[in-house]
Amino acid sequence: MYIVRYADDFKIFCRKRSDADKVFIAVTKWLKERLKLDISEEKSKVVNLKKHYSEFLGFKLKAVKKAGKYAVRSYMSDKAAERETDKLIKQIKLIQHSKNDTDLIMHVKQYNSMVFGIHNYYRYATVINHDCMKMQFRINRVMYNRLKRLKKTGTVTRKYIADNYGQSKMIRFLSQEPICPIGYIQTKNPMYKKTKICKYTPEGREEIHKTLRFDEGVLTVLHLLAQAYIPNRSIEYMDNRVSLYAAQYGKCAVTGKVLWIDELHCHHIKPISQGGTDEYRNLVIVHKDVHKLIHAVKSDTINAYLEKLKPNKSQHDKINKFRILAGNPAIEKF
């Protein structure tokens, strides 16, 4: 048999029904007697994958005949598709009721980031294009009813959007901002990791450390961040600061420079004064000078930090993006 696990959710695959029935009883008893845990009777059952679908982590999968063998056919689960569609529709309503152009741009970018997230997570489903086109059909009706200024033509300036959605005829524009189509997606084959990668063996842990790509300086800063204490800061903020520094490989999100402990600042993308929180997705690690430039309002201060940082076009655009989200006007190119 094979076990596939993520956190407390797992599947056990057996070749025969009789084996599956025995394993189901054994696992149920072991969890109860050894760990004092009850399984979810609603979710836990034996399923014949040749006849029925089984759900796992937002996917539903089945074994189908292909070239004389069995292969996996997978979709987004019905619940996941409904949930993600509802979130996108809710975001469209926020776009519709934007207070001004700045607010509208922020809501459109948030919508696009939601599309990116859905595509990046579910693109490993073998029939994801079918699922996303069904979502697109529902989204289109809401979009055309609520967004009256929607246009079919416009210019895509952001590289990620141009590379991934620029060729799509479903892309739309609102106030010159592209709205990425949820229906434009292709299946991607998963890149399997080495079988020896495992945190439970010395060899497996060594392989994990190789993939982290942290140099000694970054590891030192991580250690210092983990030990640091800032008065009036939440535990969530302190933990997420460490996680972000690791996720960004110690680099500033704007300049790409590796940051030492006295250079890094943790910026709230949506300010706390505007309802922002200390959650992971609302934080980003930047150089302290970049952080000051994001919040600067006096022209002398802005010019001084621009002269000091000398940002290129891409860096300038990122700074302006954070300034707008922080409620400050964009800085003109100079």
Side-chain angles (χ1 to χ4, degrees):
M1 64 185 189
Y2 297 88
I3 182 169
V4 180
R5 182 177 73 88
Y6 182 82
D8 64 341
D9 202 354
F10 63 92
K11 295 285 183 188
I12 298 176
F13 298 92
C14 304
R15 294 187 180 278
K16 297 186 295 183
R17 175 74 191 221
S18 57
D19 291 342
D21 289 335
K22 293 174 186 175
V23 169
F24 184 83
I25 295 171
V27 169
T28 303
K29 289 173 66 67
W30 189 86
L31 288 170
K32 181 65 177 177
E33 295 171 4
R34 295 286 295 274
L35 302 181
K36 311 302 179 186
L37 296 173
D38 293 311
I39 64 169
S40 168
E41 293 184 5
E42 178 187 355
K43 296 180 180 178
S44 305
K45 55 187 173 183
V46 177
V47 176
N48 184 342
L49 287 177
K50 295 177 183 178
K51 297 180 179 179
H52 306 285
Y53 283 98
S54 180
E55 294 188 7
F56 186 56
L57 303 178
F59 295 83
K60 63 177 185 180
L61 50 121
K62 186 179 182 182
V64 296
K65 273 284 185 71
K66 188 175 181 180
K69 298 181 180 179
Y70 280 96
V72 172
R73 177 184 292 162
S74 53
Y75 295 83
M76 286 180 70
S77 70
D78 297 338
K79 288 181 181 178
E82 186 70 24
R83 181 181 67 247
E84 299 297 348
T85 303
D86 288 343
K87 287 181 181 178
L88 291 175
I89 290 174
K90 184 178 179 181
Q91 188 63 26
I92 290 171
K93 293 177 182 177
L94 290 178
I95 296 172
Q96 179 191 12
H97 298 293
S98 298
K99 300 173 184 176
N100 49 47
D101 282 347
T102 300
D103 200 35
L104 183 144
I105 290 170
M106 182 182 73
H107 288 316
V108 170
K109 288 182 176 178
Q110 179 63 28
Y111 178 91
N112 287 338
S113 70
M114 292 164 70
V115 171
F116 303 158
I118 293 168
H119 285 172
N120 287 335
Y121 184 81
Y122 290 103
R123 61 185 173 178
Y124 300 107
T126 60
V127 202
I128 187 60
N129 58 329
H130 173 271
D131 299 324
C132 285
M133 281 305 298
K134 286 173 65 177
M135 293 173 67
Q136 184 73 52
F137 181 75
R138 282 188 61 192
I139 293 296
N140 279 347
R141 287 189 298 175
V142 177
M143 199 172 284
Y144 280 104
N145 285 333
R146 291 182 174 273
L147 307 180
K148 302 301 183 183
R149 294 182 291 162
L150 210 60
K151 295 181 180 179
K152 293 185 178 181
T153 57
T155 304
V156 179
T157 57
R158 293 183 186 86
K159 188 176 185 302
Y160 182 86
I161 295 177
D163 291 346
N164 291 278
Y165 303 93
Q167 301 301 314
S168 173
K169 294 181 180 179
M170 293 185 286
I171 195 167
R172 295 294 181 263
F173 295 85
L174 189 64
S175 294
Q176 303 303 314
E177 281 294 317
I179 300 180
C180 298
I182 187 66
Y184 191 73
I185 180 67
Q186 285 185 319
T187 299
K188 182 177 180 180
N189 291 328
M191 300 297 290
Y192 297 105
K193 67 180 182 182
K194 297 178 182 176
T195 54
K196 66 179 180 179
I197 292 180
C198 172
K199 63 182 179 181
Y200 302 112
T201 64
E203 298 79 13
R205 288 192 291 271
E206 185 177 350
E207 288 294 327
I208 292 173
H209 292 154
K210 286 180 183 177
T211 63
L212 292 177
R213 298 181 293 173
F214 292 152
D215 59 30
E216 190 172 337
V218 172
L219 290 172
T220 301
V221 175
L222 278 171
H223 181 68
L224 293 171
L225 287 174
Q227 292 183 320
Y229 168 72
I230 302 177
N232 302 321
R233 287 294 188 187
S234 67
I235 294 174
E236 182 183 25
Y237 173 88
M238 301 301 291
D239 284 349
N240 286 336
R241 193 171 69 138
V242 177
S243 299
L244 276 166
Y245 186 79
Q248 295 176 207
Y249 297 104
K251 297 178 181 179
C252 170
V254 173
T255 66
K257 176 188 174 185
V258 175
L259 304 175
W260 184 241
I261 186 68
D262 60 348
E263 295 178 313
L264 72 89
H265 278 197
C266 189
H267 169 65
H268 286 82
I269 297 171
K270 183 177 182 180
I272 291 177
S273 60
Q274 297 178 20
T277 66
D278 290 336
E279 60 185 337
Y280 183 89
R281 64 180 181 177
N282 193 47
L283 300 174
V284 64
I285 298 294
V286 294
H287 189 278
K288 62 181 181 180
D289 292 338
V290 171
H291 197 205
K292 290 174 182 175
L293 185 54
I294 291 170
H295 291 290
V297 291
K298 295 181 179 179
S299 58
D300 290 346
T301 305
I302 291 171
N303 290 333
Y305 279 107
L306 283 174
E307 186 62 33
K308 188 175 182 180
L309 290 167
K310 292 182 170 57
N312 58 32
K313 182 181 182 303
S314 174
Q315 293 167 351
H316 200 119
D317 290 342
K318 289 177 182 177
I319 291 169
N320 276 338
K321 170 190 169 185
F322 288 130
R323 281 182 63 85
I324 291 169
L325 292 172
N328 293 324
I331 301 170
E332 294 183 5
K333 306 290 190 297
F334 76 106

